[in-house]
């Protein structure tokens, strides 16, 4: 999957689910390749190692479920008995109904405001993802109130979690209910992609497999296996290669 968009006046390309440089013909100044198996070194490339967890969806549903921590399975079963509605929105529907992405953006930004941070989603980037047909959004609701939203990128063979946001930090919802709904939605999402023939469920990253933080520990309870790959930012044009060199110099001086 290839998209491009402008950021700070510079056109940036992104390549997902791609392992060979030669399969794309990027023309922007910079191209970010996600999920490369090998490092790319040199003056025109900046490589970052990326840790994540991944579930093998080719396993049976029983095997997947048994790999989930028993306490999480308990909460999933409890939530299955609660009055919940689960919605799935495909890319074309997201383009026809912009309010779906607006709901994601609002919940995402409220989450960061609650932490004292002014973090915003890149709306243009999300639209680019949707236009490729690769973006999927899922929601779980209680009494018409959205409790949790997940977003994914998928190429039909693998899927990667982009966002997982919940609506309990403003005090208007039962935090325990939302926590159960979030676990349930992850499980429903795994089953959804499995039914579509997707073989790999990527949890979208963890900080450190050896020293997990709270979010990492949550993800680990779903039975995914550690996976390491590389994200490579490559300068394509003269301006892009110059930008890579400047970034490397800044990192050295920091």
């Amino acid at each position: 999957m290839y998209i491009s968009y402008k950021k700070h006046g510079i056109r940036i390309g992104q390549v997902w689910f791609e392992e060979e440089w030669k399969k794309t013909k990027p023309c922007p100044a910079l191209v970010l390749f996600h999920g490369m198996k090998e490092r790319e070194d040199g003056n025109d490339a900046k490589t970052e190692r990326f840790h994540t967890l991944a579930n093998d969806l080719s396993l049976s549903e029983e095997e997947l479920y048994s790999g989930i921590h028993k306490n999480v399975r308990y909460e999933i079963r409890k939530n299955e008995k609660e009055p919940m509605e689960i919605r799935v929105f495909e890319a074309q529907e997201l383009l026809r109904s912009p309010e779906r992405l607006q709901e994601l953006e609002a919940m995402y930004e409220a989450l960061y405001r609650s932490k004292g941070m002014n973090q915003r989603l890149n709306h243009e980037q999300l639209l680019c993802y949707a236009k490729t047909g690769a973006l999927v959004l899922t929601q779980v609701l209680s009494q018409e109130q959205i409790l949790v939203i997940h977003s994914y990128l998928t190429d039909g063979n693998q899927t990667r979690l982009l966002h997982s946001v919940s609506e309990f930090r403003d005090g208007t919802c039962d935090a325990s209910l939302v926590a159960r709904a979030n676990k349930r939605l992850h499980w429903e999402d795994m089953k959804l992609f499995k039914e579509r023939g997707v073989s790999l469920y990527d949890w979208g990253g963890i900080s450190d497999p050896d020293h997990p933080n709270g979010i990492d520990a949550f993800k680990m309870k779903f039975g995914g296996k550690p996976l390491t790959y590389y994200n490579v930012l490559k300068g394509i044009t003269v301006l892009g290669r110059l930008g890579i060199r400047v970034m490397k110099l800044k990192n050295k001086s920091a």
Side-chain angles (χ1 to χ4, degrees):
M1 185 194 76
Y2 174 76
I3 67 166
S4 69
Y5 57 94
K6 281 189 175 182
K7 185 175 182 179
H8 305 309
I10 298 176
R11 183 154 292 277
I12 299 174
Q14 288 195 20
V15 176
W16 292 80
F17 312 123
E18 184 61 76
E19 295 181 1
E20 298 180 32
W21 304 96
K22 62 185 179 181
K23 288 184 179 179
T24 64
K25 297 180 179 179
C27 57
L30 295 165
V31 175
L32 177 59
F33 290 83
H34 296 268
M36 303 292 289
K37 290 183 178 179
E38 303 292 336
R39 294 184 61 91
E40 177 76 11
D41 296 312
N43 292 331
D44 64 343
K46 184 174 181 290
T47 298
E48 292 185 353
R49 188 166 59 175
F50 189 86
H51 301 292
T52 189
L53 297 167
N55 287 82
D56 180 2
L57 298 187
S58 67
L59 297 174
S60 69
E61 186 174 313
E62 292 75 17
E63 289 173 311
L64 284 171
Y65 192 66
S66 65
I68 299 174
H69 191 279
K70 63 179 182 179
N71 292 344
V72 176
R73 295 200 305 267
Y74 169 78
E75 293 204 46
I76 291 172
R77 291 194 302 270
K78 185 173 182 179
N79 189 251
E80 288 172 341
K81 299 175 183 178
E82 294 169 319
M84 296 283 145
E85 178 186 0
I86 293 174
R87 296 176 180 174
V88 179
F89 300 100
E90 308 296 338
Q92 291 304 312
E93 189 170 2
L94 295 174
L95 291 173
R96 292 193 302 268
S97 305
E99 65 272 17
R100 301 284 82 88
L101 291 182
Q102 291 167 3
E103 289 163 349
L104 170 63
E105 292 168 11
M107 194 175 289
Y108 177 90
E109 291 165 13
L111 169 66
Y112 277 92
R113 282 197 303 273
S114 71
K115 299 178 180 181
M117 302 167 65
N118 184 25
Q119 185 78 15
R120 299 182 65 83
L121 277 182
N122 188 324
H123 184 77
E124 182 183 357
Q125 186 183 76
L126 285 175
L127 287 178
C128 288
Y129 289 153
K131 289 175 182 177
T132 68
L135 185 64
V136 177
L137 190 146
T138 63
Q139 298 178 344
V140 60
L141 301 86
S142 175
Q143 299 179 347
E144 295 299 315
Q145 181 176 6
I146 301 171
L147 301 183
V148 183
I149 303 177
H150 295 165
S151 71
Y152 295 90
L153 287 182
T154 183
D155 68 346
N157 181 54
Q158 55 187 311
T159 192
R160 181 179 177 183
L161 177 68
L162 283 181
H163 308 101
S164 176
V165 292
S166 303
E167 186 67 77
F168 65 86
R169 298 178 184 273
D170 62 357
T172 61
C173 295
D174 180 344
S176 297
L177 173 65
V178 175
R180 290 193 297 273
N182 185 36
K183 296 180 180 73
R184 162 90 179 283
L185 187 59
H186 277 298
W187 172 236
E188 296 294 339
D189 293 344
M190 291 170 68
K191 292 192 293 181
L192 169 71
F193 289 114
K194 176 178 172 57
E195 290 172 0
R196 296 182 178 187
V198 172
S199 61
L200 187 76
Y201 182 96
D202 185 332
W203 282 84
I206 57 175
S207 60
D208 188 339
D210 298 320
H211 303 91
N213 61 27
I215 295 176
D216 298 341
F218 169 85
K219 294 178 179 181
M220 288 176 172
K221 290 180 180 179
F222 283 81
K225 304 302 182 184
L227 180 65
T228 297
Y229 48 75
Y230 300 92
N231 293 332
V232 180
L233 182 64
K234 188 170 179 67
I236 305 301
T237 65
V238 173
L239 178 61
R241 291 192 289 272
L242 177 61
I244 293 292
R245 293 190 181 103
V246 170
M247 281 186 273
K248 286 186 172 183
L249 288 173
K250 285 184 177 180
N251 287 343
K252 287 181 179 180
S253 61

